[in-house]
Amino acid sequence: MFSQIISKIQQHHARLVAVSKTHPVEKILKIYHEGQRIFGENRPQEMLEKHQVLPVDIQWHMIGHLQTNKVKYIAPFVAMIHSVDSLKLLQEIDRQGQKHQRVIDCLLQFHIAKEETKFGLDEDEAQEMLTSQEYGAMKHVRICGVMGMATFTDDHQQVRQEFRQLKGIFNQLKSRFFARDDHFREISMGMSGDWELALEEGSTLVRIGSLIFGTR
Ligand SMILES: *Cc1c(COP(=O)(O)O)cnc(C)c1O
Protein backbone atom coordinates (compact mmCIF):
# COMPACT_ATOMS: atom_id res chain seq x y z
CA MET A 1 0.00 0.00 0.00
CA PHE A 2 2.67 2.47 1.11
CA SER A 3 4.90 1.72 -1.88
CA GLN A 4 1.98 2.16 -4.27
CA ILE A 5 1.21 5.57 -2.79
CA ILE A 6 4.87 6.55 -3.02
CA SER A 7 5.21 5.50 -6.64
CA LYS A 8 2.12 7.45 -7.64
CA ILE A 9 3.41 10.55 -5.85
CA GLN A 10 6.79 10.18 -7.55
CA GLN A 11 5.16 9.87 -10.96
CA HIS A 12 3.83 13.38 -10.35
CA HIS A 13 7.23 14.65 -9.12
CA ALA A 14 5.68 15.45 -5.77
CA ARG A 15 6.72 14.51 -2.24
CA LEU A 16 4.91 12.84 0.65
CA VAL A 17 4.44 14.40 4.06
CA ALA A 18 3.52 11.38 6.21
CA VAL A 19 1.13 12.86 8.78
CA SER A 20 2.03 11.10 12.02
CA LYS A 21 0.04 13.20 14.52
CA THR A 22 -1.31 11.12 17.43
CA HIS A 23 0.62 8.05 16.23
CA PRO A 24 3.39 6.52 18.39
CA VAL A 25 7.08 6.59 17.52
CA GLU A 26 7.11 2.84 16.77
CA LYS A 27 4.74 3.38 13.86
CA ILE A 28 6.77 6.32 12.61
CA LEU A 29 9.96 4.23 12.72
CA LYS A 30 8.32 1.54 10.61
CA ILE A 31 7.64 4.03 7.81
CA TYR A 32 11.06 5.60 8.37
CA HIS A 33 12.69 2.24 7.70
CA GLU A 34 10.79 2.06 4.42
CA GLY A 35 12.63 5.23 3.42
CA GLN A 36 10.22 7.99 4.43
CA ARG A 37 11.92 11.11 5.84
CA ILE A 38 9.27 13.86 5.89
CA PHE A 39 6.74 13.64 8.72
CA GLY A 40 3.93 16.06 9.54
CA GLU A 41 2.59 16.99 12.97
CA ASN A 42 0.02 19.53 14.07
CA ARG A 43 0.97 20.08 17.72
CA PRO A 44 4.28 21.74 18.61
CA GLN A 45 4.86 19.89 21.88
CA GLU A 46 4.10 16.51 20.30
CA MET A 47 6.47 17.30 17.43
CA LEU A 48 9.20 18.29 19.89
CA GLU A 49 8.82 15.09 21.92
CA LYS A 50 9.00 12.93 18.81
CA HIS A 51 11.94 14.90 17.42
CA GLN A 52 13.85 14.26 20.62
CA VAL A 53 13.61 10.46 20.38
CA LEU A 54 13.55 9.80 16.63
CA PRO A 55 16.39 9.86 14.04
CA VAL A 56 17.86 13.31 13.42
CA ASP A 57 17.52 13.08 9.63
CA ILE A 58 13.72 13.24 9.86
CA GLN A 59 12.37 16.47 8.38
CA TRP A 60 9.54 17.66 10.58
CA HIS A 61 6.77 19.65 8.90
CA MET A 62 4.30 21.63 11.01
CA ILE A 63 0.96 21.34 9.22
CA GLY A 64 -1.57 22.49 11.83
CA HIS A 65 -2.65 25.88 13.04
CA LEU A 66 0.25 27.35 15.01
CA GLN A 67 -0.11 29.71 17.95
CA THR A 68 2.52 32.43 18.19
CA ASN A 69 3.55 31.45 21.72
CA LYS A 70 4.32 27.87 20.61
CA VAL A 71 6.75 28.62 17.77
CA LYS A 72 9.59 28.44 20.29
CA TYR A 73 9.12 24.70 20.81
CA ILE A 74 9.88 23.82 17.20
CA ALA A 75 12.02 26.71 15.92
CA PRO A 76 15.39 24.99 16.51
CA PHE A 77 14.66 22.05 14.22
CA VAL A 78 11.43 22.34 12.19
CA ALA A 79 12.01 21.82 8.45
CA MET A 80 8.93 23.62 7.18
CA ILE A 81 5.89 25.38 8.61
CA HIS A 82 2.88 24.94 6.28
CA SER A 83 0.41 26.98 8.27
CA VAL A 84 1.47 30.62 8.20
CA ASP A 85 -1.76 32.61 8.26
CA SER A 86 -0.79 35.99 9.73
CA LEU A 87 2.00 38.57 9.70
CA LYS A 88 2.18 38.29 13.47
CA LEU A 89 2.94 34.57 13.25
CA LEU A 90 5.53 35.12 10.51
CA GLN A 91 7.21 37.80 12.65
CA GLU A 92 7.50 35.40 15.56
CA ILE A 93 8.93 32.67 13.30
CA ASP A 94 11.47 35.23 12.05
CA ARG A 95 12.37 36.19 15.63
CA GLN A 96 12.83 32.57 16.64
CA GLY A 97 14.82 31.87 13.47
CA GLN A 98 17.16 34.70 14.38
CA LYS A 99 17.50 33.40 17.91
CA HIS A 100 18.55 30.00 16.61
CA GLN A 101 20.66 31.36 13.74
CA ARG A 102 18.67 29.70 10.99
CA VAL A 103 16.26 30.46 8.18
CA ILE A 104 12.91 28.72 8.60
CA ASP A 105 11.04 27.56 5.47
CA CYS A 106 7.36 28.51 5.48
CA LEU A 107 4.24 28.15 3.35
CA LEU A 108 1.35 30.60 3.32
CA GLN A 109 -1.90 28.86 4.19
CA PHE A 110 -4.91 29.91 2.13
CA HIS A 111 -8.57 29.49 2.90
CA ILE A 112 -9.97 27.65 -0.14
CA ALA A 113 -12.71 25.50 1.43
CA LYS A 114 -16.37 26.42 1.69
CA GLU A 115 -16.29 25.51 5.37
CA GLU A 116 -16.06 28.34 7.88
CA THR A 117 -13.79 26.56 10.29
CA LYS A 118 -10.65 26.21 8.20
CA PHE A 119 -7.83 28.65 8.86
CA GLY A 120 -6.06 30.61 6.19
CA LEU A 121 -5.42 33.83 4.35
CA ASP A 122 -7.23 35.26 1.35
CA GLU A 123 -5.35 36.80 -1.56
CA ASP A 124 -5.71 40.38 -0.33
CA GLU A 125 -4.31 39.51 3.08
CA ALA A 126 -1.37 37.73 1.50
CA GLN A 127 -0.67 40.68 -0.76
CA GLU A 128 -0.75 43.03 2.23
CA MET A 129 1.64 40.80 4.12
CA LEU A 130 4.12 40.42 1.27
CA THR A 131 4.24 44.15 0.60
CA SER A 132 4.60 45.13 4.28
CA GLN A 133 7.74 46.75 5.62
CA GLU A 134 7.82 44.16 8.36
CA TYR A 135 8.04 41.28 5.89
CA GLY A 136 10.61 43.16 3.84
CA ALA A 137 12.89 43.32 6.86
CA MET A 138 12.71 39.62 7.76
CA LYS A 139 15.91 37.64 7.29
CA HIS A 140 15.14 34.37 9.02
CA VAL A 141 12.07 33.13 7.14
CA ARG A 142 11.83 31.90 3.58
CA ILE A 143 8.44 31.58 1.93
CA CYS A 144 8.50 28.47 -0.25
CA GLY A 145 4.92 28.32 -1.51
CA VAL A 146 1.31 27.84 -0.49
CA MET A 147 -0.85 25.36 1.42
CA GLY A 148 -4.58 24.72 1.52
CA MET A 149 -7.26 22.27 2.61
CA ALA A 150 -10.20 21.51 0.36
CA THR A 151 -13.76 21.17 1.62
CA PHE A 152 -14.50 17.78 3.19
CA THR A 153 -16.97 16.50 0.59
CA ASP A 154 -17.54 13.69 -1.92
CA ASP A 155 -18.07 16.27 -4.65
CA HIS A 156 -14.92 15.78 -6.69
CA GLN A 157 -15.67 18.71 -8.94
CA GLN A 158 -15.76 21.06 -5.99
CA VAL A 159 -12.54 19.71 -4.50
CA ARG A 160 -10.84 19.90 -7.88
CA GLN A 161 -11.99 23.46 -8.31
CA GLU A 162 -10.63 24.44 -4.88
CA PHE A 163 -7.26 22.87 -5.71
CA ARG A 164 -7.25 24.82 -8.98
CA GLN A 165 -7.95 27.97 -7.04
CA LEU A 166 -4.91 27.31 -4.83
CA LYS A 167 -2.74 26.63 -7.86
CA GLY A 168 -3.98 29.91 -9.33
CA ILE A 169 -3.01 31.76 -6.16
CA PHE A 170 0.43 30.12 -6.31
CA ASN A 171 0.89 31.26 -9.92
CA GLN A 172 -0.15 34.82 -9.08
CA LEU A 173 2.18 35.10 -6.10
CA LYS A 174 5.00 33.51 -8.06
CA SER A 175 4.79 36.07 -10.84
CA ARG A 176 4.18 39.07 -8.58
CA PHE A 177 6.57 38.44 -5.72
CA PHE A 178 8.77 35.39 -6.31
CA ALA A 179 9.51 35.32 -10.05
CA ARG A 180 13.27 35.14 -9.44
CA ASP A 181 13.10 32.99 -6.34
CA ASP A 182 13.67 29.27 -7.03
CA HIS A 183 12.66 28.36 -3.50
CA PHE A 184 9.07 29.43 -4.12
CA ARG A 185 7.89 26.18 -5.68
CA GLU A 186 5.67 24.25 -3.25
CA ILE A 187 1.93 23.67 -3.42
CA SER A 188 0.92 21.70 -0.32
CA MET A 189 -2.48 20.15 -0.99
CA GLY A 190 -4.13 16.76 -0.78
CA MET A 191 -4.92 14.48 2.17
CA SER A 192 -6.03 10.82 2.50
CA GLY A 193 -9.37 11.46 0.79
CA ASP A 194 -8.28 13.70 -2.05
CA TRP A 195 -4.54 13.24 -2.64
CA GLU A 196 -4.91 11.78 -6.13
CA LEU A 197 -7.05 14.72 -7.23
CA ALA A 198 -4.49 17.06 -5.68
CA LEU A 199 -1.65 15.45 -7.64
CA GLU A 200 -3.61 15.84 -10.86
CA GLU A 201 -4.05 19.52 -10.04
CA GLY A 202 -0.37 20.17 -9.42
CA SER A 203 0.33 19.40 -5.77
CA THR A 204 4.03 19.18 -4.87
CA LEU A 205 3.51 18.07 -1.24
CA VAL A 206 0.66 15.74 -0.29
CA ARG A 207 -0.09 15.40 3.42
CA ILE A 208 -1.36 11.88 4.05
CA GLY A 209 -2.17 10.51 7.51
CA SER A 210 -4.87 7.90 7.99
CA LEU A 211 -4.30 6.15 4.66
CA ILE A 212 -0.78 5.28 5.81
CA PHE A 213 -1.08 5.02 9.59
CA GLY A 214 -4.69 3.85 9.90
CA THR A 215 -7.51 5.79 11.50
CA ARG A 216 -6.75 7.56 14.75
C1 LIG B 1 -4.50 15.58 9.84
C2 LIG B 1 -4.12 16.42 8.69
C3 LIG B 1 -3.82 15.86 7.44
C4 LIG B 1 -3.91 14.37 7.15
O1 LIG B 1 -5.24 13.97 7.21
P1 LIG B 1 -5.64 12.47 6.77
O2 LIG B 1 -7.06 12.61 6.36
O3 LIG B 1 -5.46 11.62 7.97
O4 LIG B 1 -4.77 12.07 5.65
C5 LIG B 1 -3.43 16.72 6.41
N1 LIG B 1 -3.36 18.04 6.60
C6 LIG B 1 -3.64 18.62 7.78
C7 LIG B 1 -3.53 20.09 7.91
C8 LIG B 1 -4.04 17.83 8.86
O5 LIG B 1 -4.33 18.42 10.03
Side-chain angles (χ1 to χ4, degrees):
M1 183 64 189
F2 181 67
S3 60
Q4 279 170 299
I5 295 171
I6 288 292
S7 86
K8 178 124 194 199
I9 290 171
Q10 284 174 350
Q11 277 165 28
H12 287 267
H13 307 288
R15 294 184 295 159
L16 170 66
V17 178
V19 177
S20 51
K21 64 190 187 200
T22 74
H23 294 292
V25 296
E26 294 74 32
K27 274 175 138 179
I28 296 175
L29 273 175
K30 234 180 114 192
I31 310 273
Y32 175 87
H33 289 307
E34 294 192 46
Q36 180 65 23
R37 290 296 178 270
I38 307 176
F39 289 88
E41 292 282 335
N42 68 344
R43 289 171 191 225
Q45 285 105 324
E46 184 176 342
M47 179 186 277
L48 172 59
E49 283 166 23
K50 287 173 172 171
H51 161 74
Q52 286 167 340
V53 298
L54 283 162
V56 290
D57 63 339
I58 287 182
Q59 298 157 40
W60 292 102
H61 284 218
M62 174 51 59
I63 60 168
H65 182 66
L66 183 57
Q67 287 174 276
T68 309
N69 62 348
K70 299 201 170 154
V71 176
K72 59 177 183 275
Y73 296 119
I74 60 170
F77 67 89
V78 69
M80 185 173 277
I81 297 174
H82 290 227
S83 44
V84 173
D85 60 357
S86 72
L87 181 62
K88 189 173 132 243
L89 176 58
L90 196 61
Q91 283 180 296
E92 175 60 13
I93 298 169
D94 185 59
R95 246 192 309 276
Q96 291 292 329
Q98 177 167 33
K99 189 169 160 190
H100 297 283
Q101 303 264 307
R102 60 188 299 252
V103 175
I104 300 179
D105 286 346
C106 296
L107 304 179
L108 299 181
Q109 180 173 358
F110 284 88
H111 183 272
I112 53 170
K114 296 284 173 291
E115 291 140 0
E116 283 291 321
T117 52
K118 304 252 159 93
F119 295 99
L121 301 159
D122 63 31
E123 290 178 77
D124 288 345
E125 290 166 334
Q127 157 118 357
E128 200 174 309
M129 192 159 139
L130 294 171
T131 53
S132 70
Q133 265 187 13
E134 290 89 342
Y135 171 67
M138 293 181 195
K139 293 196 170 67
H140 297 88
V141 293
R142 178 162 62 196
I143 296 179
C144 298
V146 301
M147 180 270 217
M149 287 168 87
T151 306
F152 189 70
T153 171
D154 290 335
D155 183 346
H156 284 194
Q157 264 318 106
Q158 181 175 347
V159 171
R160 198 181 277 285
Q161 193 242 307
E162 290 171 3
F163 287 153
R164 274 185 197 167
Q165 186 192 340
L166 186 62
K167 168 100 198 214
I169 292 170
F170 171 87
N171 288 339
Q172 283 250 346
L173 294 179
K174 177 86 190 159
S175 67
R176 289 180 87 150
F177 299 101
F178 300 99
R180 291 154 179 277
D181 183 349
D182 290 340
H183 293 103
F184 191 87
R185 61 180 173 216
E186 304 292 356
I187 304 175
S188 166
M189 59 185 187
M191 307 173 31
S192 289
D194 54 21
W195 65 283
E196 287 169 294
L197 276 178
L199 288 174
E200 287 170 23
E201 297 302 329
S203 174
T204 67
L205 285 169
V206 287
R207 310 178 308 268
I208 301 179
S210 45
L211 194 62
I212 296 170
F213 288 102
T215 45
R216 291 175 285 273

